[in-house]
Structures are given as C-alpha cells and as structure tokens.
Amino acid sequence: DTAVSQTPKYLVTQMGNDKSIKCEQNLGHDTMYWYKQDSKKFLKIMFSYNNKELIINETVPNRFSPKSPDKAHLNLHINSLELGDSAVYFCASSQDSGKVYTFGSGTRLTVV
Amino acid sequence: AQSVTQLGSHVSVSEGALVLLRCNYSSSVPPYLFWYVQYPNQGLQLLLKYTSAATLVKGINGFEAEFKKSETSFHLTKPSAHMSDAAEYFCAVSNQAGTALIFGKGTTLSVSS
C-alpha cells in the first residue's frame, strides 16, 4: 500500500519531446506538491495544489503544467523538454496545515 | 519568509562517533521543523518533526533533534554513528501558510569504519 506513488520511476527522453509524470496519494490528504531536485540535490517546490486548486506556482517555465483531476491525483506535464529539465521530480502530499508531509519515491528524468 | 540554513554541506564521522548535523531556521511565526533522510537513489524519509510540542524530538534510527528558539536552531544528533547512516540529510520548515515545505541545501553524512 504505497502512500504516494509516482510513475514512471525513470524517464529518458529526447530534447523537444513532451512527457508526463503521474502521482497518486491514498492518504486522504488535501494538498499535493511537485518538487524538483537538481544535480546538487537541492529540493525546490514547483507547484502546490489544495483540493484541486493551484495555490503555489513558483518561477517555473510555463512548459511545465500541473493538472489535478481530483484531490488524490496531481500530474505534471512537460512540453518541449530541455537538457536543463533533467532532474529528479518528487510528488508529495500533506495534511494538518503543514504538520505532515509524505513524499513519493521520485521520478528521475533524463533529457538527452 | 521561512527559510532554513544547513551548516556544512559534508560531515564525516567514524563509526561509533557522535553525529551532529546543524540546522538554523528563520521564521516569523512558530515553525514546524522537519528532518528528512535520503539514501542513494531513493526518496525522502521522515526522520522526525517538531510541531510545537516537546522541544526534544526523538525520531527513527536513534536520531533526535532539539528545538532551541533562542538560537533559532534545530540540530540533528545521534550518539553513535552506524555505517548505514551514510546518506543525505535535509532540514526543512513549513511555510507560514502551511502550504509548502522549504528545504535546506542538505548535508551529506559519510561514515567510515
């Protein structure tokens, strides 16, 4: 019973392609997130959704578009992939106004 | 705005030695603070969290952290390092609205035999 699950775990693709990463949580949490971990392991928030509504949208290129069909799912679509998009992307969810956060196992995206 | 600073990007200890990983925070409101561990090629695992209850927080794998408001610190300690503790450690603070977790830059812990 994985609490926050992401697919795929690994994604290798060519520059210019469009790809999606899916995330699902079965914890009943009301907020979901996407984080990007760069090559120096720095974790930075990209997006945050609360009950399907976008509440945080950091300075992320508009090639990145999150979509939340319901509060248990938050997908990330990336258009026109660039070399610099190579990173590990983590999905997370939270409850209790910031007291509990649970992370997925990450998706390692490699753009070649 | 909330932020955390982890002092020392790399800490090396011998097996059996004390582990001390430093974290200082900046927050305009009482913070919620967290330590996460990331083993190579794995996701983030919660070690412990402070959410305004006891100032000394005990976590998994023998780790603990003490919240010190006067020093704005939340340092992570373990009395005796084990080889399996080698990993990346992240300190984090929940933002004021409770809508995001803000991470420090991480500290790599190496343990030698």
Side-chain angles (χ1 to χ4, degrees), chain A residues 64-106:
Chain A
F64 290 78
S65 53
K67 286 194 170 46
S68 182
D70 55 61
K71 77 172 198 176
H73 294 84
L74 180 62
N75 303 322
L76 183 65
H77 188 76
I78 316 169
N79 289 327
S80 303
L81 278 155
E82 300 178 356
L83 293 176
D85 297 331
S86 295
V88 181
Y89 293 84
F90 286 99
C91 178
S93 67
S94 74
Q95 189 67 0
D96 294 335
S97 298
K99 289 184 182 179
V100 176
Y101 291 85
T102 304
F103 284 79
S105 57

